[in-house]
């Protein structure tokens, strides 16, 4: 039997032996905090009898507990839950080490409930992210479960009395790194359409570079091309398939195996007409689903660690959700350019080409010999004058 189940039995046994202990836990320990349904039903029966003014709750502290207290609890619990027998109720009396320690046992039960609740909502977030990815119909369910997980963590922090801060979990040896899952074809197509649109319509680059991140692209090669596009836009240089290819080469993207020259030029030539914001939203939605699944896995792993206290679990879980929160904020804000990104868009292509040539190395000037202090004509005249003099 796990320590958690022993703590649940100890709580119930303490209330059976000393009913007044229930008043020390009824304000914060609820029936849904118990793992076993029978234990939850017994604790709910205790709360009901206490609220109805059972005679044992009005007895003096040193008065013996009548057998009717145990029988009434059994009758109330068995009326709502199957499997609760009188033998089980009477056996709980011997499972409590010290009835005075009931609040401590109750905090153990609450700690176990905190871990289970975080695990449950992390699994739901992960499942919704996978379902939205498979359907390809949006991210509404994932956003809903992400907000629910946030609300649950805040509510657990208030119940536990902890400050909901974001604290990074200490690094621990993780499982072996597995090969990344293949990316869906529609995701890759959306990324290629976006990169082709930004190459053809470079005037839309300022809106994208301030909104999308390189990590939003699922394909490593697409990340390199988008990074090259952002660098060209930042320097104010012309954007076309050749300048993008050259920038990828300068950044070493053609040597690490993720790209080749033919692929770069093919992606930059993808025909596109319209706004890049549409495919930018699709790329960002795909990034949100991947980030949600990764954050959910990390939160679930933290909840499975029984060595973490509830306050630590809540703080580490909030920190694990930080990347997802960042993507959610950018998605809600939309591709709205700011002052920093609108300035290059107002520069004409000719002016940007001139600026690029101005930054290129200038040709070396011819080195001319400095004029001599004594020109040859003056030297010849001086020699003739010296010969003619007496």
């Amino acid at each position: 039997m796990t320590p958690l189940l022993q703590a649940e039995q100890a709580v119930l046994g303490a209330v059976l032996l000393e009913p007044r202990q229930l008043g020390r836990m009824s304000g914060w320990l609820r029936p849904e905090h118990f793992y076993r349904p029978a234990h939850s039903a017994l604790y709910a029966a205790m709360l009901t009898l206490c609220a109805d003014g059972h005679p044992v709750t009005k007895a003096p502290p040193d008065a013996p507990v009548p057998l009717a207290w145990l029988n009434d609890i059994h009758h109330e619990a068995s009326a709502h839950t199957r499997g609760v027998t009188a033998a089980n109720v009477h056996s709980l009396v011997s499972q409590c080490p010290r009835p005075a320690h009931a609040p401590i046992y109750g905090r153990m039960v609450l700690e176990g409930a905190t871990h289970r609740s975080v695990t449950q909502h992390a699994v739901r977030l992960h499942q919704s992210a996978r379902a939205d990815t498979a359907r390809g119909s949006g991210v509404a369910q994932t956003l809903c479960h992400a907000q629910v997980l946030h609300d649950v963590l805040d509510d657990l922090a208030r119940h536990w009395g902890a400050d909901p801060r974001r604290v990074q979990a200490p690094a621990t040896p993780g499982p072996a790194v597995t090969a990344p899952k293949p990316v869906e074809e529609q995701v890759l197509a959306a990324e290629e359409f976006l990169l082709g649109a930004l190459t053809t319509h470079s005037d839309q680059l300022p809106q994208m570079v301030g909104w999308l991140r390189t990590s939003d692209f699922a394909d490593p090669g697409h990340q390199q091309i988008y990074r090259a596009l952002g660098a060209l836009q930042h320097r104010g240089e012309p954007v076309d398939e050749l300048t993008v290819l050259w920038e990828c080469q300068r950044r070493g993207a053609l040597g690490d195996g993720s790209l080749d020259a033919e692929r770069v030029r093919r992606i930059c030539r993808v025909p596109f007409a319209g706004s890049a914001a549409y495919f930018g939203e699709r790329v960002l939605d795909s990034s949100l689903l991947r980030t949600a699944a990764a954050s959910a896995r990390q939160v679930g792993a933290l909840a499975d660690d029984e060595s973490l206290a509830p306050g630590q679990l809540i703080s580490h879980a909030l920190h694990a959700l930080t990347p997802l929160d960042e993507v959610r904020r950018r998605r809600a804000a939309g591709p709205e350019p700011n002052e920093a990104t609108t300035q290059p868009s107002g520069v004409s292509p000719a002016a940007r080409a001139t600026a690029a040539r101005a930054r290129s190395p200038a040709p070396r000037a011819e080195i001319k010999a400095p004029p001599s202090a004594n020109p040859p004509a003056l030297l010849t005249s001086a020699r003739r004058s010296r010969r003619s003099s007496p």
Side-chain angles (χ1 to χ4, degrees):
M1 183 178 295
T2 63
L4 175 60
L5 295 180
Q6 294 181 15
E8 291 184 359
Q9 293 180 345
V11 169
L12 299 174
V15 178
L16 291 174
L17 292 172
E18 296 183 4
R20 67 178 184 274
Q21 297 294 338
L22 185 61
R24 305 173 63 186
M25 300 179 294
S26 60
W28 47 271
L29 187 63
R30 307 305 303 167
E32 57 268 20
H33 294 153
F34 288 80
Y35 177 70
R36 283 192 172 178
H39 294 168
S40 177
L42 288 172
Y43 188 75
M46 295 174 179
L47 293 176
T48 301
L49 294 176
C50 181
D52 294 342
H54 194 277
V56 76
T57 60
K58 303 176 183 179
D62 54 350
V65 180
L67 185 61
W69 171 241
L70 279 70
N71 295 333
D72 292 342
I73 292 176
H74 167 253
H75 182 269
E76 179 68 24
S78 60
H80 300 86
T81 304
R82 295 181 178 181
V84 180
T85 63
N88 293 337
V89 176
H90 287 268
S91 66
L92 292 174
V93 176
S94 61
Q95 301 300 324
C96 178
R98 293 187 181 183
H101 296 170
I104 303 300
Y105 308 147
R107 287 182 67 86
M108 297 177 186
V109 174
L110 182 59
E111 182 172 338
T114 301
H115 280 258
R116 289 196 307 274
S117 180
V118 174
T119 299
Q120 178 184 10
H121 289 89
V123 170
R124 291 178 179 176
L125 175 60
H126 186 265
Q127 291 176 345
S128 63
R130 295 186 60 182
D132 284 343
T133 301
R135 289 192 298 263
S137 57
V139 296
Q141 292 295 326
T142 301
L143 291 175
C144 177
H145 285 287
Q147 186 59 46
V148 169
L149 179 54
H150 263 288
D151 296 340
V152 167
L153 292 174
D154 293 338
D155 184 67
L156 291 175
R158 287 193 298 269
H159 277 80
W160 189 257
D163 183 17
R165 298 178 301 162
R166 298 175 185 264
V167 179
Q168 185 176 6
T172 55
V177 179
T178 58
K181 296 182 179 180
V183 185
E184 293 77 8
E185 291 295 333
Q186 59 268 25
V187 175
L188 296 177
E191 294 181 356
E192 290 188 359
F193 273 117
L194 175 60
L195 295 174
L198 294 179
T199 305
T200 306
H201 307 283
S202 58
D203 58 319
Q204 300 183 22
L205 261 174
Q207 297 180 353
M208 294 294 108
V209 296
W211 183 45
L212 293 180
R213 304 287 185 267
T214 304
S215 57
D216 293 331
F217 290 80
D219 186 81
H222 296 169
Q223 294 179 0
Q224 297 286 2
I225 296 177
Y226 184 71
R227 186 179 289 111
L229 286 168
L232 292 174
Q233 191 275 335
H234 177 72
R235 297 198 301 265
E237 298 184 5
V239 177
D240 57 42
E241 58 182 78
L242 184 56
T243 58
V244 173
L245 176 62
W246 188 261
E247 184 66 24
C248 290
Q249 175 182 266
R250 292 177 58 187
R251 292 177 171 271
L254 303 183
D256 59 2
S258 60
L259 279 177
D260 57 69
E262 183 60 29
R263 186 186 178 197
V264 174
R265 302 194 70 171
R266 178 183 62 81
I267 293 176
C268 293
R269 292 172 181 172
V270 171
F272 181 83
S275 173
Y278 170 75
F279 285 101
E281 292 176 356
R282 294 185 58 181
V283 170
L284 189 60
D285 284 350
S286 300
S287 175
L288 187 146
L289 295 177
R290 293 193 304 272
T291 307
S295 298
R297 288 192 297 267
Q298 188 175 355
V299 173
L302 292 170
D304 291 338
D305 188 357
E306 298 178 351
S307 65
L308 291 178
Q312 294 176 318
L313 171 60
I314 294 170
S315 298
H316 296 339
L318 288 173
H319 184 274
L321 293 175
T322 300
L324 177 57
D325 295 339
E326 193 271 338
V327 180
R328 290 171 60 194
R329 285 193 296 268
R330 286 193 286 119
R331 185 181 185 276
E336 298 179 0
N338 51 35
E339 296 180 359
T341 59
T342 54
Q343 183 178 358
S345 61
V347 183
S348 62
R352 285 190 290 176
T354 303
R357 289 194 297 268
R359 286 189 292 271
S360 302
R364 299 180 62 181
E366 297 181 2
I367 300 177
K368 297 181 180 181
S372 175
N374 296 316
L378 295 178
L379 292 176
T380 304
S381 176
R383 292 193 187 105
R384 289 177 179 175
S385 62
R386 283 196 299 267
R387 291 174 184 174
S388 61
S389 60

